[in-house]
Amino acid sequence: MSTTSKAFVTALDNHGIGLVSGVPCSYFGGPISELAHWPDIPYVPAANEGTALATAAGSRLAGRPAAVIAQNSGFGNLVNPLTSLVLPYQIPVLVFVSMRGWPKASSGEPQHHWMGRVVPDWLDSLDVPHRMLLPDGPGLDEVLEETRPVLASGRPAFVLVAKGAVQDETVVGTPDAGTRPADGGLPDRDDLVKAVLAEVGPEFVFSTTGYLSRSLFNQGDRPRNFYMQGSMGHVASLALGSALARPSERFVVLDGDGSVLMHMGALTTVGHFAPPNLVHVLFDNQVYDSTGGQATTASTTEFDTIARGSGYRRVQYVASTTAVRPAIQDAFRAEGPTLLVVRGRAGGAAGERASGAVTVPEIARRFSAELTAGQVPLS
């Protein structure tokens, strides 16, 4: 029987969990919403899954049992602190991992194919105990009881959560743009993409995973667009590699605050190599829109200050719809790397994935063919 969001958090409370850290997944949208106002269990939004695990481990060292909420696509971020911190130091942490792409990835989300298959095997190879939470299997209370002796032995315990095993009592979605009057004239993601497309000519555009890529595809699909699905936090590094390899071309990055936070060290690498042909546009709506609108930590992060200190040649901040297009024009005229931070609002229709019409390998092939003058180095 599926576990409701409230029952999920209640079970954590009854199990003695005193802190939860994580990176959101739509499978856990309901529990994270519950945790936002749960009196005894603070929720710590983490930059990535590895920092979530380290945060939970630190809480446990201080005597407060902790749990992690993560998506299996970010399991790779967990591996380092799992194998070099939690396991050797014998710090017992409870870890929930959503099993996206299990038992089979959908045709529109091929990025979940591998992680949907390998997480149980990887945990077995590390001798890390794990249990599966299924919609029609034992309930969460029973599964958590099975983790008690594991945690008591000083080992981490993983609970792998199948789709539908946790049911939200309410519809989890991004805030409706019309219900946020405090945002005033802040642009939404479609406003930003429209402004970029109005100025783009021969430039190559990389868009981060999630709704920005959907908006770019639906407003102006072109072979010179590269839509990221998965690989959250790596779009700036991807663009940096292309910008250094092809200095005669101009590259535009459409990024999000959650994505930049996940691997913010990439800003220092971009700033160090300072490619003049790179324009980095950061849409800062301060939520993870595609997983249910959970808050990021961007409200206390000055991305423009960080980029300037990292070596970006030009940095600009705008916070109104009317200012976006002139700022894009200025960024295209300037010598890069440029960071344009656009303070935006959450919500709006998601649109269709690019992979529903163009396969992910074809997105890469046609982009590379344009960039290499038809040499098509990708098989």
Side-chain angles (χ1 to χ4, degrees), residues 309-320:
S310 297
Y312 277 68
R313 287 194 177 97
R314 187 176 186 280
V315 178
Q316 187 173 359
Y317 178 94
V318 298
S320 71

Side-chain angles (χ1 to χ4, degrees), residues 48-49 57 59 65 95 118 155 164 172 176 194 220-221 225 263 267 278 284 321 329 356 358 362:
N48 61 57
E49 296 80 3
S59 176
V95 182
V118 302
R155 292 182 295 167
V172 176
D176 181 77
K194 182 179 179 180
D221 180 40
N225 293 348
H263 293 294
L267 298 182
L278 183 62
D284 178 17
T321 302
Q329 294 171 345
V358 187
E362 181 57 28

Side-chain angles (χ1 to χ4, degrees), residues 48-83:
N48 61 57
E49 296 80 3
T51 59
L53 183 57
T55 300
S59 176
R60 184 63 186 85
L61 283 175
R64 177 180 287 185
V68 171
I69 286 178
Q71 184 180 147
N72 61 342
S73 60
F75 187 83
N77 289 330
L78 280 171
V79 171
N80 179 263
L82 176 61
T83 58

Side-chain angles (χ1 to χ4, degrees), residues 135-149:
D136 55 355
L140 180 59
D141 284 318
E142 183 176 343
V143 171
L144 290 181
E145 282 301 317
E146 294 175 355
T147 68
R148 284 189 185 276

Side-chain angles (χ1 to χ4, degrees), residues 99 102 115-125 130 132 160:
M99 292 298 287
W102 181 89
M115 297 308 289
R117 297 171 54 191
V118 302
V119 169
D121 291 340
W122 285 1
L123 290 172
D124 286 339
S125 72
H130 54 90
M132 181 70 81
L160 308 182

Side-chain angles (χ1 to χ4, degrees), residues 350-361:
E352 298 299 320
R353 292 187 184 90
S355 57
V358 187
T359 68
V360 170

Side-chain angles (χ1 to χ4, degrees), residues 257-280:
D257 54 303
S259 173
V260 170
L261 288 167
M262 183 165 279
H263 293 294
M264 197 154 55
L267 298 182
T268 68
T269 310
V270 172
H272 177 80
F273 287 96
N277 55 335
L278 183 62
V279 176
H280 192 172

